[in-house]
mmCIF file of all heavy atoms in Angstrom:
data_model
loop_
_atom_site.group_PDB
_atom_site.id
_atom_site.type_symbol
_atom_site.label_atom_id
_atom_site.label_comp_id
_atom_site.label_asym_id
_atom_site.label_seq_id
_atom_site.Cartn_x
_atom_site.Cartn_y
_atom_site.Cartn_z
ATOM 1 N N MET A 1 -1.511 1.966 12.573
ATOM 2 C CA MET A 1 -1.325 1.376 11.328
ATOM 3 C C MET A 1 -1.716 2.477 10.249
ATOM 4 O O MET A 1 -2.466 3.416 10.593
ATOM 5 C CB MET A 1 -2.206 0.128 11.017
ATOM 6 C CG MET A 1 -2.044 -0.960 12.067
ATOM 7 S SD MET A 1 -3.038 -2.432 11.688
ATOM 8 C CE MET A 1 -2.180 -3.159 10.225
ATOM 9 N N GLY A 2 -1.304 2.340 9.039
ATOM 10 C CA GLY A 2 -1.643 3.307 8.011
ATOM 11 C C GLY A 2 -1.368 2.743 6.633
ATOM 12 O O GLY A 2 -0.834 1.770 6.352
ATOM 13 N N TRP A 3 -2.230 3.447 5.720
ATOM 14 C CA TRP A 3 -2.135 3.165 4.405
ATOM 15 C C TRP A 3 -1.313 4.218 3.649
ATOM 16 O O TRP A 3 -1.654 5.405 3.846
ATOM 17 C CB TRP A 3 -3.464 3.001 3.640
ATOM 18 C CG TRP A 3 -4.163 1.595 3.944
ATOM 19 C CD1 TRP A 3 -5.175 1.459 4.864
ATOM 20 C CD2 TRP A 3 -3.964 0.483 3.332
ATOM 21 N NE1 TRP A 3 -5.513 0.140 4.873
ATOM 22 C CE2 TRP A 3 -4.822 -0.480 3.954
ATOM 23 C CE3 TRP A 3 -3.046 -0.021 2.412
ATOM 24 C CZ2 TRP A 3 -4.870 -1.801 3.627
ATOM 25 C CZ3 TRP A 3 -3.073 -1.326 1.889
ATOM 26 C CH2 TRP A 3 -3.952 -2.273 2.612
ATOM 27 N N TYR A 4 -0.358 4.014 2.859
ATOM 28 C CA TYR A 4 0.414 4.944 2.046
ATOM 29 C C TYR A 4 0.221 4.469 0.549
ATOM 30 O O TYR A 4 -0.185 3.466 0.296
ATOM 31 C CB TYR A 4 1.861 4.886 2.382
ATOM 32 C CG TYR A 4 2.147 5.441 3.770
ATOM 33 C CD1 TYR A 4 1.870 4.761 4.933
ATOM 34 C CD2 TYR A 4 2.887 6.609 3.921
ATOM 35 C CE1 TYR A 4 2.290 5.161 6.163
ATOM 36 C CE2 TYR A 4 3.260 7.166 5.197
ATOM 37 C CZ TYR A 4 2.930 6.439 6.313
ATOM 38 O OH TYR A 4 3.235 6.915 7.560
ATOM 39 N N ARG A 5 0.504 5.448 -0.306
ATOM 40 C CA ARG A 5 0.496 5.170 -1.668
ATOM 41 C C ARG A 5 1.666 5.956 -2.433
ATOM 42 O O ARG A 5 2.097 7.023 -1.916
ATOM 43 C CB ARG A 5 -0.794 5.572 -2.396
ATOM 44 C CG ARG A 5 -1.146 7.008 -2.406
ATOM 45 C CD ARG A 5 -2.584 7.242 -2.926
ATOM 46 N NE ARG A 5 -2.952 8.639 -3.047
ATOM 47 C CZ ARG A 5 -4.141 9.073 -3.280
ATOM 48 N NH1 ARG A 5 -5.108 8.128 -3.505
ATOM 49 N NH2 ARG A 5 -4.425 10.352 -3.401
ATOM 50 N N GLN A 6 2.062 5.357 -3.515
ATOM 51 C CA GLN A 6 3.064 6.049 -4.278
ATOM 52 C C GLN A 6 2.775 5.909 -5.724
ATOM 53 O O GLN A 6 2.605 4.766 -6.243
ATOM 54 C CB GLN A 6 4.471 5.373 -4.028
ATOM 55 C CG GLN A 6 5.648 6.160 -4.769
ATOM 56 C CD GLN A 6 7.004 5.696 -4.170
ATOM 57 O OE1 GLN A 6 7.131 4.744 -3.530
ATOM 58 N NE2 GLN A 6 7.930 6.704 -4.346
ATOM 59 N N ALA A 7 2.493 7.050 -6.444
ATOM 60 C CA ALA A 7 2.228 7.182 -7.817
ATOM 61 C C ALA A 7 3.453 7.315 -8.534
ATOM 62 O O ALA A 7 4.428 7.781 -8.004
ATOM 63 C CB ALA A 7 1.250 8.246 -7.995
ATOM 64 N N PRO A 8 3.420 6.920 -9.914
ATOM 65 C CA PRO A 8 4.618 7.061 -10.757
ATOM 66 C C PRO A 8 5.098 8.569 -10.722
ATOM 67 O O PRO A 8 4.367 9.501 -10.850
ATOM 68 C CB PRO A 8 4.063 6.742 -12.136
ATOM 69 C CG PRO A 8 3.040 5.847 -11.921
ATOM 70 C CD PRO A 8 2.298 6.335 -10.711
ATOM 71 N N GLY A 9 6.501 8.734 -10.464
ATOM 72 C CA GLY A 9 6.928 10.132 -10.344
ATOM 73 C C GLY A 9 6.684 10.861 -9.127
ATOM 74 O O GLY A 9 7.073 12.077 -9.073
ATOM 75 N N LYS A 10 6.075 10.331 -8.246
ATOM 76 C CA LYS A 10 5.682 10.971 -6.942
ATOM 77 C C LYS A 10 6.313 10.339 -5.759
ATOM 78 O O LYS A 10 6.738 9.195 -5.806
ATOM 79 C CB LYS A 10 4.081 10.949 -6.814
ATOM 80 C CG LYS A 10 3.368 11.627 -7.906
ATOM 81 C CD LYS A 10 3.485 13.139 -7.970
ATOM 82 C CE LYS A 10 2.641 13.789 -8.959
ATOM 83 N NZ LYS A 10 2.681 15.206 -8.999
ATOM 84 N N GLU A 11 6.428 11.131 -4.659
ATOM 85 C CA GLU A 11 6.818 10.564 -3.383
ATOM 86 C C GLU A 11 5.733 9.777 -2.710
ATOM 87 O O GLU A 11 4.557 10.017 -3.016
ATOM 88 C CB GLU A 11 7.324 11.627 -2.582
ATOM 89 C CG GLU A 11 8.701 12.372 -2.977
ATOM 90 C CD GLU A 11 9.325 13.276 -1.948
ATOM 91 O OE1 GLU A 11 8.636 13.529 -0.997
ATOM 92 O OE2 GLU A 11 10.397 13.673 -2.232
ATOM 93 N N ARG A 12 6.091 8.879 -1.854
ATOM 94 C CA ARG A 12 5.183 8.125 -1.085
ATOM 95 C C ARG A 12 4.423 9.074 -0.146
ATOM 96 O O ARG A 12 5.085 9.879 0.512
ATOM 97 C CB ARG A 12 5.826 6.987 -0.341
ATOM 98 C CG ARG A 12 4.914 6.004 0.378
ATOM 99 C CD ARG A 12 5.667 4.811 0.937
ATOM 100 N NE ARG A 12 6.335 4.136 -0.071
ATOM 101 C CZ ARG A 12 6.917 2.899 0.198
ATOM 102 N NH1 ARG A 12 6.951 2.350 1.376
ATOM 103 N NH2 ARG A 12 7.522 2.366 -0.893
ATOM 104 N N GLU A 13 3.149 8.923 -0.071
ATOM 105 C CA GLU A 13 2.405 9.836 0.776
ATOM 106 C C GLU A 13 1.366 9.027 1.701
ATOM 107 O O GLU A 13 0.906 7.919 1.355
ATOM 108 C CB GLU A 13 1.592 10.785 -0.058
ATOM 109 C CG GLU A 13 0.494 10.157 -0.927
ATOM 110 C CD GLU A 13 -0.367 11.176 -1.702
ATOM 111 O OE1 GLU A 13 -0.367 12.340 -1.334
ATOM 112 O OE2 GLU A 13 -1.116 10.711 -2.597
ATOM 113 N N LEU A 14 1.076 9.516 2.838
ATOM 114 C CA LEU A 14 0.097 8.949 3.752
ATOM 115 C C LEU A 14 -1.267 9.225 3.255
ATOM 116 O O LEU A 14 -1.669 10.347 3.014
ATOM 117 C CB LEU A 14 0.274 9.457 5.173
ATOM 118 C CG LEU A 14 -0.629 8.982 6.197
ATOM 119 C CD1 LEU A 14 -0.467 7.556 6.507
ATOM 120 C CD2 LEU A 14 -0.462 9.852 7.558
ATOM 121 N N VAL A 15 -2.047 8.150 3.116
ATOM 122 C CA VAL A 15 -3.390 8.194 2.730
ATOM 123 C C VAL A 15 -4.388 8.294 3.874
ATOM 124 O O VAL A 15 -5.297 9.114 3.930
ATOM 125 C CB VAL A 15 -3.811 6.963 1.827
ATOM 126 C CG1 VAL A 15 -5.257 6.973 1.427
ATOM 127 C CG2 VAL A 15 -2.927 6.991 0.597
ATOM 128 N N ALA A 16 -4.155 7.340 4.818
ATOM 129 C CA ALA A 16 -5.018 7.243 6.003
ATOM 130 C C ALA A 16 -4.231 6.504 7.084
ATOM 131 O O ALA A 16 -3.435 5.596 6.860
ATOM 132 C CB ALA A 16 -6.333 6.535 5.728
ATOM 133 N N SER A 17 -4.590 6.823 8.326
ATOM 134 C CA SER A 17 -4.001 6.176 9.494
ATOM 135 C C SER A 17 -5.048 5.830 10.545
ATOM 136 O O SER A 17 -6.147 6.416 10.569
ATOM 137 C CB SER A 17 -2.891 6.952 10.099
ATOM 138 O OG SER A 17 -3.329 8.209 10.661
ATOM 139 N N ILE A 18 -4.720 4.935 11.382
ATOM 140 C CA ILE A 18 -5.726 4.498 12.362
ATOM 141 C C ILE A 18 -4.915 4.040 13.560
ATOM 142 O O ILE A 18 -4.001 3.294 13.476
ATOM 143 C CB ILE A 18 -6.691 3.354 11.918
ATOM 144 C CG1 ILE A 18 -7.736 3.016 12.919
ATOM 145 C CG2 ILE A 18 -5.886 2.204 11.438
ATOM 146 C CD1 ILE A 18 -8.890 2.299 12.485
ATOM 147 N N THR A 19 -5.331 4.566 14.723
ATOM 148 C CA THR A 19 -4.576 4.064 16.040
ATOM 149 C C THR A 19 -5.149 2.756 16.440
ATOM 150 O O THR A 19 -6.212 2.250 15.983
ATOM 151 C CB THR A 19 -4.766 5.088 17.192
ATOM 152 O OG1 THR A 19 -6.148 5.214 17.533
ATOM 153 C CG2 THR A 19 -4.341 6.552 16.578
ATOM 154 N N SER A 20 -4.539 2.212 17.531
ATOM 155 C CA SER A 20 -5.026 0.927 18.041
ATOM 156 C C SER A 20 -6.377 1.096 18.671
ATOM 157 O O SER A 20 -7.132 0.100 18.694
ATOM 158 C CB SER A 20 -4.013 0.368 19.164
ATOM 159 O OG SER A 20 -3.892 1.336 20.230
ATOM 160 N N GLY A 21 -6.784 2.331 19.147
ATOM 161 C CA GLY A 21 -8.075 2.580 19.653
ATOM 162 C C GLY A 21 -9.187 2.883 18.617
ATOM 163 O O GLY A 21 -10.337 3.088 18.943
ATOM 164 N N GLY A 22 -8.804 3.019 17.347
ATOM 165 C CA GLY A 22 -9.717 3.332 16.344
ATOM 166 C C GLY A 22 -9.880 4.823 15.867
ATOM 167 O O GLY A 22 -10.626 5.034 15.010
ATOM 168 N N SER A 23 -9.063 5.645 16.326
ATOM 169 C CA SER A 23 -8.996 7.081 15.901
ATOM 170 C C SER A 23 -8.360 7.099 14.494
ATOM 171 O O SER A 23 -7.316 6.575 14.302
ATOM 172 C CB SER A 23 -8.214 7.899 16.855
ATOM 173 O OG SER A 23 -8.237 9.223 16.391
ATOM 174 N N THR A 24 -8.972 7.854 13.515
ATOM 175 C CA THR A 24 -8.625 7.875 12.190
ATOM 176 C C THR A 24 -8.149 9.237 11.632
ATOM 177 O O THR A 24 -8.586 10.257 12.298
ATOM 178 C CB THR A 24 -9.716 7.310 11.289
ATOM 179 O OG1 THR A 24 -10.882 8.150 11.270
ATOM 180 C CG2 THR A 24 -10.081 5.891 11.591
ATOM 181 N N ASN A 25 -7.337 9.245 10.655
ATOM 182 C CA ASN A 25 -6.981 10.426 10.010
ATOM 183 C C ASN A 25 -6.816 10.227 8.467
ATOM 184 O O ASN A 25 -6.433 9.168 8.236
ATOM 185 C CB ASN A 25 -5.610 11.003 10.586
ATOM 186 C CG ASN A 25 -5.381 12.416 10.473
ATOM 187 O OD1 ASN A 25 -6.157 13.052 9.689
ATOM 188 N ND2 ASN A 25 -4.336 12.892 10.957
ATOM 189 N N TYR A 26 -7.161 11.198 7.688
ATOM 190 C CA TYR A 26 -7.194 11.014 6.268
ATOM 191 C C TYR A 26 -6.501 12.201 5.607
ATOM 192 O O TYR A 26 -6.625 13.350 5.969
ATOM 193 C CB TYR A 26 -8.569 10.914 5.755
ATOM 194 C CG TYR A 26 -9.440 9.775 6.231
ATOM 195 C CD1 TYR A 26 -10.139 9.907 7.339
ATOM 196 C CD2 TYR A 26 -9.375 8.498 5.559
ATOM 197 C CE1 TYR A 26 -10.907 8.806 7.841
ATOM 198 C CE2 TYR A 26 -10.100 7.438 5.977
ATOM 199 C CZ TYR A 26 -10.814 7.592 7.071
ATOM 200 O OH TYR A 26 -11.590 6.490 7.515
ATOM 201 N N ALA A 27 -5.913 11.896 4.424
ATOM 202 C CA ALA A 27 -5.390 12.992 3.611
ATOM 203 C C ALA A 27 -6.572 13.670 3.041
ATOM 204 O O ALA A 27 -7.679 13.144 2.702
ATOM 205 C CB ALA A 27 -4.642 12.423 2.474
ATOM 206 N N ASP A 28 -6.458 14.974 2.748
ATOM 207 C CA ASP A 28 -7.564 15.759 2.209
ATOM 208 C C ASP A 28 -8.118 15.178 0.920
ATOM 209 O O ASP A 28 -9.277 15.242 0.592
ATOM 210 C CB ASP A 28 -7.201 17.221 2.015
ATOM 211 C CG ASP A 28 -6.979 17.990 3.346
ATOM 212 O OD1 ASP A 28 -7.524 17.576 4.303
ATOM 213 O OD2 ASP A 28 -6.330 18.946 3.329
ATOM 214 N N SER A 29 -7.215 14.581 0.075
ATOM 215 C CA SER A 29 -7.559 14.114 -1.238
ATOM 216 C C SER A 29 -8.505 12.954 -1.181
ATOM 217 O O SER A 29 -9.201 12.682 -2.254
ATOM 218 C CB SER A 29 -6.354 13.867 -2.000
ATOM 219 O OG SER A 29 -5.620 12.819 -1.367
ATOM 220 N N VAL A 30 -8.612 12.242 -0.054
ATOM 221 C CA VAL A 30 -9.458 10.995 0.066
ATOM 222 C C VAL A 30 -10.582 11.211 0.951
ATOM 223 O O VAL A 30 -11.390 10.194 1.121
ATOM 224 C CB VAL A 30 -8.662 9.818 0.271
ATOM 225 C CG1 VAL A 30 -7.487 9.629 -0.716
ATOM 226 C CG2 VAL A 30 -8.029 9.825 1.721
ATOM 227 N N LYS A 31 -10.688 12.248 1.764
ATOM 228 C CA LYS A 31 -11.676 12.404 2.722
ATOM 229 C C LYS A 31 -13.048 12.280 2.025
ATOM 230 O O LYS A 31 -13.248 12.727 0.894
ATOM 231 C CB LYS A 31 -11.645 13.738 3.401
ATOM 232 C CG LYS A 31 -10.462 13.825 4.395
ATOM 233 C CD LYS A 31 -10.399 15.130 5.127
ATOM 234 C CE LYS A 31 -9.416 15.296 6.093
ATOM 235 N NZ LYS A 31 -9.249 16.619 6.727
ATOM 236 N N ALA A 32 -14.037 11.597 2.744
ATOM 237 C CA ALA A 32 -15.405 11.319 2.278
ATOM 238 C C ALA A 32 -15.482 10.261 1.180
ATOM 239 O O ALA A 32 -16.539 9.912 0.736
ATOM 240 C CB ALA A 32 -16.070 12.627 1.727
ATOM 241 N N ARG A 33 -14.314 9.794 0.730
ATOM 242 C CA ARG A 33 -14.410 8.690 -0.298
ATOM 243 C C ARG A 33 -13.747 7.401 0.217
ATOM 244 O O ARG A 33 -14.182 6.335 -0.120
ATOM 245 C CB ARG A 33 -13.578 9.158 -1.489
ATOM 246 C CG ARG A 33 -14.047 10.370 -2.233
ATOM 247 C CD ARG A 33 -13.483 10.550 -3.547
ATOM 248 N NE ARG A 33 -11.967 10.821 -3.490
ATOM 249 C CZ ARG A 33 -10.997 10.071 -3.949
ATOM 250 N NH1 ARG A 33 -11.374 8.989 -4.624
ATOM 251 N NH2 ARG A 33 -9.782 10.444 -3.906
ATOM 252 N N PHE A 34 -12.720 7.556 1.115
ATOM 253 C CA PHE A 34 -12.054 6.323 1.575
ATOM 254 C C PHE A 34 -12.376 6.155 3.076
ATOM 255 O O PHE A 34 -12.625 7.163 3.814
ATOM 256 C CB PHE A 34 -10.492 6.445 1.555
ATOM 257 C CG PHE A 34 -9.940 6.350 0.049
ATOM 258 C CD1 PHE A 34 -10.774 6.407 -1.013
ATOM 259 C CD2 PHE A 34 -8.638 6.341 -0.038
ATOM 260 C CE1 PHE A 34 -10.295 6.430 -2.296
ATOM 261 C CE2 PHE A 34 -8.056 6.231 -1.348
ATOM 262 C CZ PHE A 34 -8.893 6.321 -2.479
ATOM 263 N N THR A 35 -12.406 4.907 3.553
ATOM 264 C CA THR A 35 -12.631 4.627 4.949
ATOM 265 C C THR A 35 -11.657 3.606 5.468
ATOM 266 O O THR A 35 -11.434 2.444 4.877
ATOM 267 C CB THR A 35 -14.013 4.097 5.260
ATOM 268 O OG1 THR A 35 -15.007 4.967 4.817
ATOM 269 C CG2 THR A 35 -14.264 3.886 6.731
ATOM 270 N N ILE A 36 -10.863 3.953 6.437
ATOM 271 C CA ILE A 36 -9.926 2.960 7.018
ATOM 272 C C ILE A 36 -10.543 2.334 8.232
ATOM 273 O O ILE A 36 -11.219 2.944 9.064
ATOM 274 C CB ILE A 36 -8.560 3.663 7.381
ATOM 275 C CG1 ILE A 36 -7.479 2.702 7.801
ATOM 276 C CG2 ILE A 36 -8.830 4.714 8.455
ATOM 277 C CD1 ILE A 36 -6.112 3.264 7.946
ATOM 278 N N SER A 37 -10.202 1.017 8.455
ATOM 279 C CA SER A 37 -10.691 0.301 9.673
ATOM 280 C C SER A 37 -9.739 -0.770 10.028
ATOM 281 O O SER A 37 -8.871 -1.078 9.204
ATOM 282 C CB SER A 37 -12.121 -0.243 9.288
ATOM 283 O OG SER A 37 -12.132 -1.137 8.265
ATOM 284 N N ARG A 38 -9.953 -1.384 11.118
ATOM 285 C CA ARG A 38 -9.078 -2.453 11.561
ATOM 286 C C ARG A 38 -9.883 -3.470 12.401
ATOM 287 O O ARG A 38 -10.946 -3.152 13.044
ATOM 288 C CB ARG A 38 -7.890 -1.990 12.280
ATOM 289 C CG ARG A 38 -8.215 -1.307 13.686
ATOM 290 C CD ARG A 38 -6.990 -0.625 14.099
ATOM 291 N NE ARG A 38 -5.912 -1.514 14.700
ATOM 292 C CZ ARG A 38 -4.717 -1.102 14.990
ATOM 293 N NH1 ARG A 38 -4.322 0.116 14.819
ATOM 294 N NH2 ARG A 38 -3.815 -1.995 15.379
ATOM 295 N N ASP A 39 -9.486 -4.696 12.379
ATOM 296 C CA ASP A 39 -9.993 -5.779 13.176
ATOM 297 C C ASP A 39 -8.928 -6.323 13.978
ATOM 298 O O ASP A 39 -8.078 -7.099 13.502
ATOM 299 C CB ASP A 39 -10.707 -6.766 12.324
ATOM 300 C CG ASP A 39 -11.366 -7.912 13.101
ATOM 301 O OD1 ASP A 39 -11.018 -8.068 14.329
ATOM 302 O OD2 ASP A 39 -12.276 -8.576 12.600
ATOM 303 N N ASN A 40 -8.778 -5.856 15.187
ATOM 304 C CA ASN A 40 -7.647 -6.217 16.041
ATOM 305 C C ASN A 40 -7.517 -7.701 16.380
ATOM 306 O O ASN A 40 -6.501 -8.233 16.555
ATOM 307 C CB ASN A 40 -7.651 -5.398 17.364
ATOM 308 C CG ASN A 40 -7.399 -3.917 17.154
ATOM 309 O OD1 ASN A 40 -6.674 -3.561 16.153
ATOM 310 N ND2 ASN A 40 -7.929 -3.017 18.033
ATOM 311 N N ALA A 41 -8.643 -8.409 16.476
ATOM 312 C CA ALA A 41 -8.738 -9.741 16.748
ATOM 313 C C ALA A 41 -8.166 -10.553 15.579
ATOM 314 O O ALA A 41 -7.637 -11.619 15.777
ATOM 315 C CB ALA A 41 -10.213 -10.284 16.989
ATOM 316 N N LYS A 42 -8.272 -10.015 14.386
ATOM 317 C CA LYS A 42 -7.626 -10.721 13.147
ATOM 318 C C LYS A 42 -6.310 -10.087 12.677
ATOM 319 O O LYS A 42 -5.686 -10.547 11.727
ATOM 320 C CB LYS A 42 -8.738 -10.598 11.990
ATOM 321 C CG LYS A 42 -9.970 -11.270 12.248
ATOM 322 C CD LYS A 42 -10.955 -11.163 11.015
ATOM 323 C CE LYS A 42 -12.231 -11.891 11.254
ATOM 324 N NZ LYS A 42 -13.126 -11.759 10.129
ATOM 325 N N ASN A 43 -5.853 -9.155 13.465
ATOM 326 C CA ASN A 43 -4.638 -8.283 13.017
ATOM 327 C C ASN A 43 -4.640 -7.988 11.541
ATOM 328 O O ASN A 43 -3.718 -8.100 10.804
ATOM 329 C CB ASN A 43 -3.459 -9.307 13.262
ATOM 330 C CG ASN A 43 -3.095 -9.452 14.783
ATOM 331 O OD1 ASN A 43 -3.402 -8.513 15.593
ATOM 332 N ND2 ASN A 43 -2.497 -10.514 15.091
ATOM 333 N N THR A 44 -5.772 -7.413 11.233
ATOM 334 C CA THR A 44 -6.034 -6.980 9.855
ATOM 335 C C THR A 44 -6.624 -5.578 9.743
ATOM 336 O O THR A 44 -7.347 -5.108 10.559
ATOM 337 C CB THR A 44 -7.010 -7.926 9.148
ATOM 338 O OG1 THR A 44 -6.558 -9.322 9.200
ATOM 339 C CG2 THR A 44 -7.274 -7.568 7.713
ATOM 340 N N MET A 45 -6.090 -4.801 8.747
ATOM 341 C CA MET A 45 -6.593 -3.447 8.413
ATOM 342 C C MET A 45 -7.174 -3.474 7.079
ATOM 343 O O MET A 45 -6.703 -4.105 6.138
ATOM 344 C CB MET A 45 -5.417 -2.517 8.589
ATOM 345 C CG MET A 45 -5.676 -1.081 8.212
ATOM 346 S SD MET A 45 -4.208 0.060 8.292
ATOM 347 C CE MET A 45 -3.152 -0.556 7.117
ATOM 348 N N TYR A 46 -8.046 -2.559 6.901
ATOM 349 C CA TYR A 46 -8.804 -2.425 5.611
ATOM 350 C C TYR A 46 -8.740 -1.006 5.138
ATOM 351 O O TYR A 46 -8.748 -0.040 5.932
ATOM 352 C CB TYR A 46 -10.262 -2.905 5.660
ATOM 353 C CG TYR A 46 -10.374 -4.329 6.290
ATOM 354 C CD1 TYR A 46 -10.559 -4.467 7.684
ATOM 355 C CD2 TYR A 46 -10.332 -5.409 5.509
ATOM 356 C CE1 TYR A 46 -10.732 -5.782 8.140
ATOM 357 C CE2 TYR A 46 -10.413 -6.683 5.975
ATOM 358 C CZ TYR A 46 -10.622 -6.841 7.356
ATOM 359 O OH TYR A 46 -10.755 -8.118 7.842
#
C-alpha cells in the first residue's frame, strides 16, 4: 500500500509505501516527519 500526493501544477508523487509485512519506504522530503503504518486486521493504512 502507499500514499501519494499531487500538488497544484505538479505530477503525482509517491510519499510513502508499506509492504504487507510492514517494510516502509519514504520520499526524502518527508523522512523523519511522516510515518506510514497499517493494521491488516482492519484493512486500514495510516
Side-chain angles (χ1 to χ4, degrees):
M1 303 183 75
W3 287 100
Y4 291 72
R5 67 186 182 188
Q6 188 164 20
K10 302 288 187 178
E11 293 189 350
R12 189 172 299 186
E13 64 175 348
L14 177 65
V15 177
S17 63
I18 184 167
T19 68
S20 60
S23 180
T24 60
N25 201 352
Y26 298 91
D28 288 341
S29 59
V30 307
K31 285 180 180 176
R33 298 190 298 119
F34 291 10
T35 302
I36 188 171
S37 61
R38 64 192 289 169
D39 185 336
N40 290 332
K42 296 180 179 179
N43 288 331
T44 302
M45 176 179 65
Y46 306 94

